[in-house]
Amino acid sequence: MDAVIFDLDGVLVDSETTWDEVRRAVVAEHGGTWRPEATRAQQGMSTPEWANYLVETLGARLTPDEIARTVIDEMAARYADRPPVIDGADQVVREISRHWPVAIASSSPPVLIHSFLTACDLTSLVPVAVSSEEVAAGKPAPDVYLRAAMLLNVEASRCAAVEDSTNGLRAAFAADMTVFAVPNPHFPPDPAVLRDATVLPNLAALPRSLSDAAHSGK
C-alpha cells in the first residue's frame, strides 16, 4: 500500500444520524414525504444527487439548489462549535499519516470536510480532501476515490480505503482499492458487500490492521 484514503461521515465523524435528522426535518417542513428506503438510498450521494432526490423522489417543494443550501447551512450550524468527531479518530489519522500519505474522499460538501480538518488540526497532515461535489458522480461510483488517488499521485490499486456504508464500500471496491470496513452501527452495511473487505471492530483497530496488511504484501 502506498496511501490511505478515509471516508468522513460514519468513519471519522459520527454524523450520519445528524444528516438523516436534518434532511427529514427539511423534507417535512417543505411538504415532502420521507420513505423507509430514503436514508440508505442517500448514503454516498453527492450534494446535487441527494438534493434532487429530496425534491424529485420525496416531493419537497423547493428547488434542488434551495434544499441543498438549507440542509448544508443547518449542518454547518451544528458543526459550528465542533464536528461530532468519533472518539480517537483524529489520533488514528495522525498515527497513520506518520507511515502513509493520507486523504479524505467524502460525500460531504467541502465546507464540512474542512470544518473537520480545521477542528482537529489535521489540515497539514491531510493534503488531499475530495468531495463528491467535485466529481461526476457520488458513491457507489468510484469517482471520488479515483480523484483522491490521482491527487496523491498514487495508483488507486495501491491505496487502502476506509469505509462504513454499503455505497461507500461499493465505491472503494469499484476503484480497485484494498478496503477496510468499520461498519456503521446506526446503518449497518449490506453483509454481502463486506465479504471482500477487512472488517474491523472499530477505527482504533485500523493502524494495526494496515500494518499487518502491508507486511503480508496485500
Side-chain angles (χ1 to χ4, degrees):
M1 291 182 298
D2 295 331
V4 179
I5 304 178
F6 289 89
D7 177 41
L8 180 66
D9 296 296
V11 172
L12 302 176
V13 178
D14 188 13
S15 55
E16 294 285 16
T17 54
T18 306
W19 276 108
D20 197 53
E21 178 184 323
V22 170
R23 287 172 177 152
R24 283 174 182 263
V26 171
V27 167
E29 182 180 352
H30 294 281
T33 302
W34 200 260
R35 296 184 180 183
E37 71 277 10
T39 298
R40 290 187 183 278
Q42 291 174 82
Q43 288 179 337
M45 285 185 180
S46 67
T47 299
E49 289 168 342
W50 61 250
N52 282 324
Y53 183 90
L54 297 184
V55 172
E56 296 173 6
T57 303
L58 302 188
R61 292 194 289 270
L62 290 172
T63 67
D65 283 347
E66 289 170 337
I67 204 163
R69 190 161 54 249
T70 301
V71 169
I72 292 170
D73 284 351
E74 177 60 23
M75 289 295 296
R78 296 189 183 206
Y79 275 40
D81 292 330
R82 179 175 169 83
V85 179
I86 290 172
D87 286 346
D90 50 341
Q91 288 92 337
V92 169
V93 174
R94 289 178 192 283
E95 181 174 351
I96 290 170
S97 72
R98 290 197 289 268
H99 305 283
W100 293 280
V102 171
I104 287 177
S106 173
S107 299
S108 274
V111 64
L112 299 186
I113 299 173
H114 293 299
S115 176
F116 163 78
L117 293 173
T118 301
C120 294
D121 195 24
L122 291 172
T123 303
S124 63
L125 300 180
V126 183
V128 170
V130 183
S131 166
S132 57
E133 287 187 12
E134 302 168 298
V135 295
K139 302 171 185 178
D143 302 35
V144 69
Y145 276 110
L146 295 174
R147 174 73 172 167
M150 184 190 74
L151 292 174
L152 286 172
N153 197 30
V154 175
E155 290 290 333
S157 62
R158 298 289 301 166
C159 294
V162 188
E163 269 289 354
D164 70 303
S165 69
T166 297
N167 283 342
L169 291 162
R170 286 176 174 155
F173 280 123
D176 196 28
M177 296 186 174
T178 300
V179 181
F180 294 81
V182 185
N184 191 303
H186 308 295
F187 309 107
D190 182 347
V193 183
L194 291 172
R195 288 174 188 159
D196 294 322
T198 298
V199 181
L200 305 178
N202 50 54
L203 191 63
L206 180 63
R208 171 61 65 86
S209 189
L210 283 168
S211 179
D212 289 346
H215 288 120
S216 68
K218 290 183 180 180

